[in-house]
Amino acid sequence: MAAGAFSAPDPAPPAWSLEQQLAALREALPAGSRLLAVSKGHPAASLRQLAALGQRSFGESRLQEAIAKQAELADLGALDWHFIGRLQANKARAVLRQFGTIHSVDSLELAERLARIAAEEGLAPAVFLQVKLRVDPNKTGLSAPELRQLWPRLQGLAPLRIVGLMTMAPQGLSRAESQALFGECAALARELGLAELSMGMSGDWPEAAAAGSTWVRIGSGLFGPKPCQL
Ligand SMILES: *Cc1c(COP(=O)(O)O)cnc(C)c1O
């Protein structure tokens, strides 16, 4: 700072602009990768702002929070709601009623339960099977051998529409390691004839998109840091 009688105050950090972040992500994402706006922890007003800009697909991981936002945004008409959180068996019916797509189906038991309830409810949800291709105590998911073994039974679970695989990279992978992991997930989806891949979050979506992700799930990189930690 130059010597002087007055020093300028530090400029305030620029306000986070949802519009600019959305535009930047749209610009950066390759054509085949769609943006799932992960809105957990963010207020309905932010979703409303994004919806006005044409973002219709939102990911939530807590049922009660999602129900409240869906009610608040009911005037916007149909939005495309994706459930991405850990799904407890006793919430399956409510999740099916509120969400057209579920990204976190991580066991045969859960898939069977969802299929039974979806049939009762007259629903045909799109489902991603969550896979775990690396050791990671913080995450659930089917291993590749488990998935291959269960695949004939999973395929028979109408009215579920199994559209793809979802995975998350463990913390601390290098960019090259994440890209290798996402590439393995893409190869597994191809092997099973599944077209969709839910891969990539704020910290690793470029690697996921490069590996063929069709849905990147972006929270903080779009909405900014969370107002409250969830
Ligand atoms: C929260 C969450 C995201 C988004 O995480 P960010 O790092 O904020 O982009 C993506 N996927 C799942 C399953 C999540 O729970």
Side-chain angles (χ1 to χ4, degrees), residues 182-197:
F182 294 138
E184 277 175 45
C185 189
L188 185 56
R190 262 197 309 279
E191 177 188 324
L192 302 177
L194 293 169
E196 303 277 347
L197 286 164

Side-chain angles (χ1 to χ4, degrees), residues 70-139:
Q70 290 172 341
E72 217 174 310
L73 299 171
D75 62 295
L76 295 179
L79 295 171
D80 175 31
W81 294 99
H82 295 230
F83 189 81
I84 62 170
R86 215 167 269 190
L87 207 172
Q88 294 162 260
N90 64 348
K91 305 257 173 78
R93 187 177 302 272
V95 165
L96 283 166
R97 287 180 179 164
Q98 304 300 133
F99 294 86
T101 305
I102 303 174
H103 289 237
S104 43
V105 178
D106 58 3
S107 71
L108 176 65
E109 293 67 34
L110 178 58
E112 286 174 339
R113 174 182 284 260
L114 289 169
R116 176 174 55 74
I117 298 173
E120 288 169 12
E121 300 276 333
L123 297 168
V127 160
F128 288 83
L129 299 172
Q130 185 170 345
V131 296
K132 184 164 91 163
L133 303 178
R134 297 288 184 275
V135 173
D136 186 346
N138 299 315
K139 305 220 164 56

Side-chain angles (χ1 to χ4, degrees), residues 6-86:
F6 302 100
S7 58
D10 287 340
W16 187 272
S17 164
L18 264 182
E19 185 168 6
Q20 280 173 22
Q21 288 304 119
L22 179 64
L25 281 166
R26 281 179 172 162
E27 175 84 21
L29 279 171
S33 300
R34 279 162 295 170
L35 173 63
L36 184 65
V38 175
S39 45
K40 65 175 187 226
H42 297 282
S46 298
L47 284 74
R48 182 177 293 281
Q49 198 185 336
L50 286 173
L53 297 165
Q55 175 66 34
R56 309 293 292 185
S57 298
F58 295 97
E60 291 278 342
S61 52
R62 278 157 204 259
L63 179 63
Q64 294 313 318
E65 182 190 337
I67 289 175
K69 284 182 212 171
Q70 290 172 341
E72 217 174 310
L73 299 171
D75 62 295
L76 295 179
L79 295 171
D80 175 31
W81 294 99
H82 295 230
F83 189 81
I84 62 170
R86 215 167 269 190

Side-chain angles (χ1 to χ4, degrees), residues 146-207:
E146 281 170 336
L147 175 55
R148 288 192 187 97
Q149 192 214 328
L150 296 174
W151 182 236
R153 290 163 75 183
L154 287 163
Q155 273 187 296
L157 291 178
L160 297 191
R161 295 180 293 116
I162 298 179
V163 297
L165 301 182
M166 181 274 227
T167 202
M168 284 187 271
Q171 301 270 307
L173 293 195
S174 70
R175 301 212 165 266
E177 287 166 339
S178 311
Q179 193 157 338
L181 165 63
F182 294 138
E184 277 175 45
C185 189
L188 185 56
R190 262 197 309 279
E191 177 188 324
L192 302 177
L194 293 169
E196 303 277 347
L197 286 164
S198 169
M199 312 191 297
M201 319 199 328
S202 297
D204 57 15
W205 69 260
E207 288 71 38

